[in-house]
PDB file of all heavy atoms in Angstrom:
ATOM      1  N   GLU A 442     -10.162  10.730 -18.778  1.00 98.00           N
ATOM      2  CA  GLU A 442     -11.242  10.556 -19.757  1.00 98.00           C
ATOM      3  C   GLU A 442     -10.900  11.240 -21.073  1.00 98.00           C
ATOM      4  O   GLU A 442     -11.099  10.672 -22.159  1.00 98.00           O
ATOM      5  CB  GLU A 442     -12.547  11.119 -19.185  1.00 98.00           C
ATOM      6  CG  GLU A 442     -13.729  11.086 -20.134  1.00 98.00           C
ATOM      7  CD  GLU A 442     -14.149   9.684 -20.551  1.00 98.00           C
ATOM      8  OE1 GLU A 442     -13.824   8.717 -19.829  1.00 98.00           O
ATOM      9  OE2 GLU A 442     -14.792   9.556 -21.615  1.00 98.00           O
ATOM     10  N   ALA A 443     -10.370  12.460 -21.001  1.00 98.00           N
ATOM     11  CA  ALA A 443     -10.070  13.220 -22.214  1.00 98.00           C
ATOM     12  C   ALA A 443      -9.002  12.533 -23.068  1.00 98.00           C
ATOM     13  O   ALA A 443      -9.035  12.629 -24.305  1.00 98.00           O
ATOM     14  CB  ALA A 443      -9.619  14.626 -21.849  1.00 98.00           C
ATOM     15  N   LEU A 444      -8.071  11.833 -22.430  1.00 98.00           N
ATOM     16  CA  LEU A 444      -6.932  11.237 -23.141  1.00 98.00           C
ATOM     17  C   LEU A 444      -7.032   9.711 -23.257  1.00 98.00           C
ATOM     18  O   LEU A 444      -6.039   9.046 -23.555  1.00 98.00           O
ATOM     19  CB  LEU A 444      -5.627  11.612 -22.432  1.00 98.00           C
ATOM     20  CG  LEU A 444      -5.280  13.099 -22.400  1.00 98.00           C
ATOM     21  CD1 LEU A 444      -3.984  13.326 -21.629  1.00 98.00           C
ATOM     22  CD2 LEU A 444      -5.179  13.678 -23.805  1.00 98.00           C
ATOM     23  N   LYS A 445      -8.224   9.164 -23.066  1.00 98.00           N
ATOM     24  CA  LYS A 445      -8.356   7.706 -23.007  1.00 98.00           C
ATOM     25  C   LYS A 445      -7.937   7.008 -24.295  1.00 98.00           C
ATOM     26  O   LYS A 445      -7.562   5.829 -24.274  1.00 98.00           O
ATOM     27  CB  LYS A 445      -9.787   7.322 -22.638  1.00 98.00           C
ATOM     28  CG  LYS A 445     -10.836   7.732 -23.653  1.00 98.00           C
ATOM     29  CD  LYS A 445     -12.233   7.383 -23.157  1.00 98.00           C
ATOM     30  CE  LYS A 445     -13.296   7.819 -24.166  1.00 98.00           C
ATOM     31  NZ  LYS A 445     -14.663   7.516 -23.659  1.00 98.00           N
ATOM     32  N   ASP A 446      -7.991   7.702 -25.433  1.00 97.00           N
ATOM     33  CA  ASP A 446      -7.565   7.104 -26.695  1.00 97.00           C
ATOM     34  C   ASP A 446      -6.093   7.353 -27.001  1.00 97.00           C
ATOM     35  O   ASP A 446      -5.583   6.864 -28.015  1.00 97.00           O
ATOM     36  CB  ASP A 446      -8.413   7.651 -27.847  1.00 97.00           C
ATOM     37  CG  ASP A 446      -9.869   7.216 -27.753  1.00 97.00           C
ATOM     38  OD1 ASP A 446     -10.123   6.110 -27.249  1.00 97.00           O
ATOM     39  OD2 ASP A 446     -10.743   8.000 -28.170  1.00 97.00           O
ATOM     40  N   GLU A 447      -5.419   8.116 -26.117  1.00 98.00           N
ATOM     41  CA  GLU A 447      -4.031   8.492 -26.385  1.00 98.00           C
ATOM     42  C   GLU A 447      -3.046   7.959 -25.354  1.00 98.00           C
ATOM     43  O   GLU A 447      -1.855   7.824 -25.640  1.00 98.00           O
ATOM     44  CB  GLU A 447      -3.934  10.024 -26.454  1.00 98.00           C
ATOM     45  CG  GLU A 447      -4.697  10.588 -27.647  1.00 98.00           C
ATOM     46  CD  GLU A 447      -5.115  12.018 -27.466  1.00 98.00           C
ATOM     47  OE1 GLU A 447      -4.235  12.896 -27.588  1.00 98.00           O
ATOM     48  OE2 GLU A 447      -6.307  12.276 -27.199  1.00 98.00           O
ATOM     49  N   ILE A 448      -3.527   7.665 -24.153  1.00 98.00           N
ATOM     50  CA  ILE A 448      -2.657   7.117 -23.108  1.00 98.00           C
ATOM     51  C   ILE A 448      -3.536   6.519 -22.019  1.00 98.00           C
ATOM     52  O   ILE A 448      -4.662   6.980 -21.793  1.00 98.00           O
ATOM     53  CB  ILE A 448      -1.737   8.221 -22.535  1.00 98.00           C
ATOM     54  CG1 ILE A 448      -0.572   7.605 -21.751  1.00 98.00           C
ATOM     55  CG2 ILE A 448      -2.513   9.222 -21.705  1.00 98.00           C
ATOM     56  CD1 ILE A 448       0.578   8.569 -21.512  1.00 98.00           C
ATOM     57  N   ASP A 449      -3.063   5.475 -21.385  1.00 98.00           N
ATOM     58  CA  ASP A 449      -3.768   4.883 -20.244  1.00 98.00           C
ATOM     59  C   ASP A 449      -3.224   5.489 -18.960  1.00 98.00           C
ATOM     60  O   ASP A 449      -1.998   5.504 -18.747  1.00 98.00           O
ATOM     61  CB  ASP A 449      -3.584   3.360 -20.213  1.00 98.00           C
ATOM     62  CG  ASP A 449      -4.302   2.670 -21.361  1.00 98.00           C
ATOM     63  OD1 ASP A 449      -5.405   3.130 -21.711  1.00 98.00           O
ATOM     64  OD2 ASP A 449      -3.773   1.679 -21.900  1.00 98.00           O
ATOM     65  N   ILE A 450      -4.124   5.976 -18.116  1.00 98.00           N
ATOM     66  CA  ILE A 450      -3.731   6.625 -16.863  1.00 98.00           C
ATOM     67  C   ILE A 450      -4.327   5.871 -15.691  1.00 98.00           C
ATOM     68  O   ILE A 450      -5.540   5.708 -15.600  1.00 98.00           O
ATOM     69  CB  ILE A 450      -4.183   8.098 -16.832  1.00 98.00           C
ATOM     70  CG1 ILE A 450      -3.543   8.873 -17.992  1.00 98.00           C
ATOM     71  CG2 ILE A 450      -3.822   8.743 -15.497  1.00 98.00           C
ATOM     72  CD1 ILE A 450      -3.997  10.331 -18.096  1.00 98.00           C
ATOM     73  N   GLU A 451      -3.453   5.412 -14.807  1.00 98.00           N
ATOM     74  CA  GLU A 451      -3.849   4.709 -13.586  1.00 98.00           C
ATOM     75  C   GLU A 451      -3.641   5.660 -12.410  1.00 98.00           C
ATOM     76  O   GLU A 451      -2.564   6.244 -12.270  1.00 98.00           O
ATOM     77  CB  GLU A 451      -2.981   3.454 -13.425  1.00 98.00           C
ATOM     78  CG  GLU A 451      -3.422   2.509 -12.342  1.00 98.00           C
ATOM     79  CD  GLU A 451      -2.544   1.272 -12.310  1.00 98.00           C
ATOM     80  OE1 GLU A 451      -1.344   1.394 -11.972  1.00 98.00           O
ATOM     81  OE2 GLU A 451      -3.032   0.180 -12.636  1.00 98.00           O
ATOM     82  N   ILE A 452      -4.671   5.817 -11.569  1.00 98.00           N
ATOM     83  CA  ILE A 452      -4.661   6.841 -10.530  1.00 98.00           C
ATOM     84  C   ILE A 452      -4.564   6.213  -9.146  1.00 98.00           C
ATOM     85  O   ILE A 452      -5.359   5.342  -8.786  1.00 98.00           O
ATOM     86  CB  ILE A 452      -5.932   7.703 -10.630  1.00 98.00           C
ATOM     87  CG1 ILE A 452      -5.928   8.484 -11.948  1.00 98.00           C
ATOM     88  CG2 ILE A 452      -6.050   8.654  -9.441  1.00 98.00           C
ATOM     89  CD1 ILE A 452      -7.223   9.215 -12.243  1.00 98.00           C
ATOM     90  N   VAL A 453      -3.588   6.699  -8.376  1.00 98.00           N
ATOM     91  CA  VAL A 453      -3.425   6.308  -6.975  1.00 98.00           C
ATOM     92  C   VAL A 453      -3.994   7.425  -6.100  1.00 98.00           C
ATOM     93  O   VAL A 453      -3.577   8.586  -6.226  1.00 98.00           O
ATOM     94  CB  VAL A 453      -1.940   6.088  -6.616  1.00 98.00           C
ATOM     95  CG1 VAL A 453      -1.811   5.590  -5.172  1.00 98.00           C
ATOM     96  CG2 VAL A 453      -1.276   5.112  -7.580  1.00 98.00           C
ATOM     97  N   ALA A 454      -4.945   7.087  -5.230  1.00 98.00           N
ATOM     98  CA  ALA A 454      -5.483   8.065  -4.280  1.00 98.00           C
ATOM     99  C   ALA A 454      -4.457   8.237  -3.167  1.00 98.00           C
ATOM    100  O   ALA A 454      -4.262   7.350  -2.331  1.00 98.00           O
ATOM    101  CB  ALA A 454      -6.812   7.568  -3.722  1.00 98.00           C
ATOM    102  N   PHE A 455      -3.797   9.401  -3.144  1.00 98.00           N
ATOM    103  CA  PHE A 455      -2.557   9.567  -2.382  1.00 98.00           C
ATOM    104  C   PHE A 455      -2.702  10.601  -1.264  1.00 98.00           C
ATOM    105  O   PHE A 455      -2.960  11.779  -1.531  1.00 98.00           O
ATOM    106  CB  PHE A 455      -1.457   9.998  -3.360  1.00 98.00           C
ATOM    107  CG  PHE A 455      -0.111  10.197  -2.744  1.00 98.00           C
ATOM    108  CD1 PHE A 455       0.442   9.239  -1.908  1.00 98.00           C
ATOM    109  CD2 PHE A 455       0.627  11.336  -3.017  1.00 98.00           C
ATOM    110  CE1 PHE A 455       1.703   9.424  -1.345  1.00 98.00           C
ATOM    111  CE2 PHE A 455       1.884  11.535  -2.469  1.00 98.00           C
ATOM    112  CZ  PHE A 455       2.417  10.569  -1.629  1.00 98.00           C
ATOM    113  N   PRO A 456      -2.496  10.200  -0.010  1.00 97.00           N
ATOM    114  CA  PRO A 456      -2.579  11.132   1.121  1.00 97.00           C
ATOM    115  C   PRO A 456      -1.261  11.857   1.373  1.00 97.00           C
ATOM    116  O   PRO A 456      -0.588  11.648   2.389  1.00 97.00           O
ATOM    117  CB  PRO A 456      -2.938  10.206   2.287  1.00 97.00           C
ATOM    118  CG  PRO A 456      -2.235   8.920   1.954  1.00 97.00           C
ATOM    119  CD  PRO A 456      -2.284   8.815   0.447  1.00 97.00           C
ATOM    120  N   GLN A 457      -0.876  12.736   0.449  1.00 96.00           N
ATOM    121  CA  GLN A 457       0.432  13.397   0.522  1.00 96.00           C
ATOM    122  C   GLN A 457       0.653  14.126   1.842  1.00 96.00           C
ATOM    123  O   GLN A 457       1.776  14.155   2.365  1.00 96.00           O
ATOM    124  CB  GLN A 457       0.558  14.401  -0.628  1.00 96.00           C
ATOM    125  CG  GLN A 457       1.816  15.245  -0.621  1.00 96.00           C
ATOM    126  CD  GLN A 457       3.056  14.487  -1.033  1.00 96.00           C
ATOM    127  OE1 GLN A 457       3.359  14.408  -2.214  1.00 96.00           O
ATOM    128  NE2 GLN A 457       3.770  13.922  -0.075  1.00 96.00           N
ATOM    129  N   SER A 458      -0.384  14.721   2.416  1.00 95.00           N
ATOM    130  CA  SER A 458      -0.229  15.491   3.653  1.00 95.00           C
ATOM    131  C   SER A 458      -0.421  14.658   4.906  1.00 95.00           C
ATOM    132  O   SER A 458      -0.383  15.197   6.017  1.00 95.00           O
ATOM    133  CB  SER A 458      -1.221  16.667   3.652  1.00 95.00           C
ATOM    134  OG  SER A 458      -0.914  17.573   2.621  1.00 95.00           O
ATOM    135  N   GLY A 459      -0.605  13.377   4.746  1.00 95.00           N
ATOM    136  CA  GLY A 459      -0.835  12.492   5.876  1.00 95.00           C
ATOM    137  C   GLY A 459      -2.237  11.906   5.815  1.00 95.00           C
ATOM    138  O   GLY A 459      -3.160  12.518   5.276  1.00 95.00           O
ATOM    139  N   LEU A 460      -2.387  10.725   6.375  1.00 96.00           N
ATOM    140  CA  LEU A 460      -3.667  10.035   6.379  1.00 96.00           C
ATOM    141  C   LEU A 460      -4.387  10.228   7.703  1.00 96.00           C
ATOM    142  O   LEU A 460      -5.497  10.756   7.763  1.00 96.00           O
ATOM    143  CB  LEU A 460      -3.433   8.542   6.104  1.00 96.00           C
ATOM    144  CG  LEU A 460      -4.658   7.660   5.897  1.00 96.00           C
ATOM    145  CD1 LEU A 460      -5.492   8.146   4.723  1.00 96.00           C
ATOM    146  CD2 LEU A 460      -4.221   6.210   5.666  1.00 96.00           C
ATOM    147  N   LEU A 461      -3.724   9.864   8.793  1.00 96.00           N
ATOM    148  CA  LEU A 461      -4.325   9.988  10.120  1.00 96.00           C
ATOM    149  C   LEU A 461      -4.020  11.345  10.742  1.00 96.00           C
ATOM    150  O   LEU A 461      -4.770  11.819  11.599  1.00 96.00           O
ATOM    151  CB  LEU A 461      -3.816   8.874  11.032  1.00 96.00           C
ATOM    152  CG  LEU A 461      -3.993   7.439  10.506  1.00 96.00           C
ATOM    153  CD1 LEU A 461      -3.468   6.441  11.521  1.00 96.00           C
ATOM    154  CD2 LEU A 461      -5.452   7.150  10.178  1.00 96.00           C
ATOM    155  N   ALA A 462      -2.934  11.953  10.314  1.00 93.00           N
ATOM    156  CA  ALA A 462      -2.529  13.237  10.900  1.00 93.00           C
ATOM    157  C   ALA A 462      -3.516  14.351  10.575  1.00 93.00           C
ATOM    158  O   ALA A 462      -3.567  15.362  11.280  1.00 93.00           O
ATOM    159  CB  ALA A 462      -1.135  13.615  10.398  1.00 93.00           C
ATOM    160  N   ARG A 463      -4.285  14.179   9.521  1.00 95.00           N
ATOM    161  CA  ARG A 463      -5.298  15.169   9.128  1.00 95.00           C
ATOM    162  C   ARG A 463      -6.658  14.472   9.099  1.00 95.00           C
ATOM    163  O   ARG A 463      -7.034  13.877   8.080  1.00 95.00           O
ATOM    164  CB  ARG A 463      -4.947  15.785   7.769  1.00 95.00           C
ATOM    165  CG  ARG A 463      -3.658  16.590   7.795  1.00 95.00           C
ATOM    166  CD  ARG A 463      -3.277  17.086   6.410  1.00 95.00           C
ATOM    167  NE  ARG A 463      -4.216  18.073   5.891  1.00 95.00           N
ATOM    168  CZ  ARG A 463      -4.119  19.382   6.111  1.00 95.00           C
ATOM    169  NH1 ARG A 463      -3.132  19.866   6.846  1.00 95.00           N
ATOM    170  NH2 ARG A 463      -4.996  20.216   5.585  1.00 95.00           N
ATOM    171  N   PRO A 464      -7.385  14.497  10.208  1.00 96.00           N
ATOM    172  CA  PRO A 464      -8.671  13.797  10.290  1.00 96.00           C
ATOM    173  C   PRO A 464      -9.600  14.196   9.151  1.00 96.00           C
ATOM    174  O   PRO A 464      -9.699  15.374   8.779  1.00 96.00           O
ATOM    175  CB  PRO A 464      -9.224  14.250  11.650  1.00 96.00           C
ATOM    176  CG  PRO A 464      -8.009  14.559  12.457  1.00 96.00           C
ATOM    177  CD  PRO A 464      -7.035  15.158  11.486  1.00 96.00           C
ATOM    178  N   GLY A 465     -10.251  13.203   8.587  1.00 98.00           N
ATOM    179  CA  GLY A 465     -11.118  13.403   7.439  1.00 98.00           C
ATOM    180  C   GLY A 465     -10.501  12.920   6.142  1.00 98.00           C
ATOM    181  O   GLY A 465     -11.210  12.693   5.151  1.00 98.00           O
ATOM    182  N   THR A 466      -9.176  12.736   6.127  1.00 98.00           N
ATOM    183  CA  THR A 466      -8.510  12.295   4.905  1.00 98.00           C
ATOM    184  C   THR A 466      -8.892  10.863   4.546  1.00 98.00           C
ATOM    185  O   THR A 466      -9.088  10.545   3.366  1.00 98.00           O
ATOM    186  CB  THR A 466      -6.981  12.420   5.050  1.00 98.00           C
ATOM    187  OG1 THR A 466      -6.644  13.762   5.394  1.00 98.00           O
ATOM    188  CG2 THR A 466      -6.283  12.048   3.751  1.00 98.00           C
ATOM    189  N   THR A 467      -9.010   9.993   5.531  1.00 98.00           N
ATOM    190  CA  THR A 467      -9.389   8.602   5.255  1.00 98.00           C
ATOM    191  C   THR A 467     -10.715   8.542   4.516  1.00 98.00           C
ATOM    192  O   THR A 467     -10.874   7.795   3.540  1.00 98.00           O
ATOM    193  CB  THR A 467      -9.477   7.803   6.568  1.00 98.00           C
ATOM    194  OG1 THR A 467      -8.188   7.776   7.193  1.00 98.00           O
ATOM    195  CG2 THR A 467      -9.939   6.371   6.310  1.00 98.00           C
ATOM    196  N   GLU A 468     -11.666   9.345   4.957  1.00 98.00           N
ATOM    197  CA  GLU A 468     -12.976   9.356   4.306  1.00 98.00           C
ATOM    198  C   GLU A 468     -12.887   9.879   2.872  1.00 98.00           C
ATOM    199  O   GLU A 468     -13.597   9.403   1.976  1.00 98.00           O
ATOM    200  CB  GLU A 468     -13.947  10.216   5.129  1.00 98.00           C
ATOM    201  CG  GLU A 468     -14.337   9.623   6.478  1.00 98.00           C
ATOM    202  CD  GLU A 468     -13.249   9.722   7.544  1.00 98.00           C
ATOM    203  OE1 GLU A 468     -12.284  10.503   7.341  1.00 98.00           O
ATOM    204  OE2 GLU A 468     -13.361   9.033   8.571  1.00 98.00           O
ATOM    205  N   LEU A 469     -12.012  10.840   2.648  1.00 98.00           N
ATOM    206  CA  LEU A 469     -11.823  11.362   1.296  1.00 98.00           C
ATOM    207  C   LEU A 469     -11.176  10.323   0.382  1.00 98.00           C
ATOM    208  O   LEU A 469     -11.575  10.177  -0.783  1.00 98.00           O
ATOM    209  CB  LEU A 469     -10.967  12.630   1.337  1.00 98.00           C
ATOM    210  CG  LEU A 469     -11.640  13.871   1.920  1.00 98.00           C
ATOM    211  CD1 LEU A 469     -10.598  14.977   2.162  1.00 98.00           C
ATOM    212  CD2 LEU A 469     -12.735  14.388   0.987  1.00 98.00           C
ATOM    213  N   ILE A 470     -10.191   9.601   0.903  1.00 98.00           N
ATOM    214  CA  ILE A 470      -9.568   8.526   0.122  1.00 98.00           C
ATOM    215  C   ILE A 470     -10.618   7.469  -0.219  1.00 98.00           C
ATOM    216  O   ILE A 470     -10.696   6.974  -1.358  1.00 98.00           O
ATOM    217  CB  ILE A 470      -8.401   7.887   0.897  1.00 98.00           C
ATOM    218  CG1 ILE A 470      -7.282   8.911   1.156  1.00 98.00           C
ATOM    219  CG2 ILE A 470      -7.856   6.668   0.149  1.00 98.00           C
ATOM    220  CD1 ILE A 470      -6.452   9.266  -0.040  1.00 98.00           C
ATOM    221  N   ASP A 471     -11.441   7.125   0.755  1.00 98.00           N
ATOM    222  CA  ASP A 471     -12.528   6.164   0.558  1.00 98.00           C
ATOM    223  C   ASP A 471     -13.434   6.628  -0.586  1.00 98.00           C
ATOM    224  O   ASP A 471     -13.785   5.857  -1.487  1.00 98.00           O
ATOM    225  CB  ASP A 471     -13.315   6.044   1.863  1.00 98.00           C
ATOM    226  CG  ASP A 471     -14.321   4.908   1.862  1.00 98.00           C
ATOM    227  OD1 ASP A 471     -14.248   4.034   0.981  1.00 98.00           O
ATOM    228  OD2 ASP A 471     -15.195   4.891   2.761  1.00 98.00           O
ATOM    229  N   ALA A 472     -13.798   7.905  -0.561  1.00 98.00           N
ATOM    230  CA  ALA A 472     -14.676   8.445  -1.598  1.00 98.00           C
ATOM    231  C   ALA A 472     -13.999   8.458  -2.963  1.00 98.00           C
ATOM    232  O   ALA A 472     -14.640   8.185  -3.993  1.00 98.00           O
ATOM    233  CB  ALA A 472     -15.115   9.858  -1.215  1.00 98.00           C
ATOM    234  N   ALA A 473     -12.706   8.769  -3.000  1.00 98.00           N
ATOM    235  CA  ALA A 473     -11.975   8.782  -4.265  1.00 98.00           C
ATOM    236  C   ALA A 473     -11.923   7.388  -4.882  1.00 98.00           C
ATOM    237  O   ALA A 473     -12.056   7.224  -6.102  1.00 98.00           O
ATOM    238  CB  ALA A 473     -10.565   9.321  -4.052  1.00 98.00           C
ATOM    239  N   LEU A 474     -11.730   6.391  -4.055  1.00 98.00           N
ATOM    240  CA  LEU A 474     -11.704   5.014  -4.543  1.00 98.00           C
ATOM    241  C   LEU A 474     -13.068   4.614  -5.086  1.00 98.00           C
ATOM    242  O   LEU A 474     -13.177   3.974  -6.136  1.00 98.00           O
ATOM    243  CB  LEU A 474     -11.268   4.067  -3.418  1.00 98.00           C
ATOM    244  CG  LEU A 474      -9.816   4.245  -2.953  1.00 98.00           C
ATOM    245  CD1 LEU A 474      -9.603   3.547  -1.617  1.00 98.00           C
ATOM    246  CD2 LEU A 474      -8.838   3.702  -3.989  1.00 98.00           C
ATOM    247  N   ALA A 475     -14.127   5.005  -4.388  1.00 98.00           N
ATOM    248  CA  ALA A 475     -15.475   4.707  -4.859  1.00 98.00           C
ATOM    249  C   ALA A 475     -15.774   5.413  -6.179  1.00 98.00           C
ATOM    250  O   ALA A 475     -16.530   4.910  -7.015  1.00 98.00           O
ATOM    251  CB  ALA A 475     -16.500   5.106  -3.798  1.00 98.00           C
ATOM    252  N   ALA A 476     -15.149   6.585  -6.374  1.00 98.00           N
ATOM    253  CA  ALA A 476     -15.403   7.383  -7.573  1.00 98.00           C
ATOM    254  C   ALA A 476     -14.584   6.930  -8.778  1.00 98.00           C
ATOM    255  O   ALA A 476     -14.847   7.378  -9.899  1.00 98.00           O
ATOM    256  CB  ALA A 476     -15.118   8.850  -7.290  1.00 98.00           C
ATOM    257  N   GLY A 477     -13.580   6.083  -8.576  1.00 98.00           N
ATOM    258  CA  GLY A 477     -12.838   5.577  -9.725  1.00 98.00           C
ATOM    259  C   GLY A 477     -11.333   5.584  -9.631  1.00 98.00           C
ATOM    260  O   GLY A 477     -10.651   5.222 -10.600  1.00 98.00           O
ATOM    261  N   ALA A 478     -10.757   5.983  -8.492  1.00 98.00           N
ATOM    262  CA  ALA A 478      -9.300   5.840  -8.327  1.00 98.00           C
ATOM    263  C   ALA A 478      -8.945   4.355  -8.343  1.00 98.00           C
ATOM    264  O   ALA A 478      -9.726   3.506  -7.890  1.00 98.00           O
ATOM    265  CB  ALA A 478      -8.841   6.497  -7.038  1.00 98.00           C
ATOM    266  N   ASP A 479      -7.775   4.034  -8.850  1.00 98.00           N
ATOM    267  CA  ASP A 479      -7.424   2.639  -9.117  1.00 98.00           C
ATOM    268  C   ASP A 479      -6.669   1.953  -7.985  1.00 98.00           C
ATOM    269  O   ASP A 479      -6.726   0.726  -7.864  1.00 98.00           O
ATOM    270  CB  ASP A 479      -6.564   2.572 -10.382  1.00 98.00           C
ATOM    271  CG  ASP A 479      -7.283   3.131 -11.593  1.00 98.00           C
ATOM    272  OD1 ASP A 479      -8.244   2.499 -12.046  1.00 98.00           O
ATOM    273  OD2 ASP A 479      -6.890   4.214 -12.076  1.00 98.00           O
TER     274      ASP A 479
END
């Protein structure tokens, strides 16, 4: 948001520590996508 006039930023919701290996991560990714991750 702060740099929207200076650069376009596309965000990947990324499970760096694992998706299924850490229960609860899927729900967090889901929430990040709902909040505006691309």
Side-chain angles (χ1 to χ4, degrees):
E442 176 63 22
L444 297 178
K445 64 184 179 182
D446 293 328
E447 294 156 76
I448 196 163
D449 291 323
I450 300 177
E451 190 177 67
I452 295 172
V453 184
F455 181 49
Q457 175 74 87
S458 295
L460 187 59
L461 306 181
R463 295 175 67 88
T466 304
T467 298
E468 291 75 15
L469 289 169
I470 297 286
D471 190 14
L474 293 165
D479 300 291

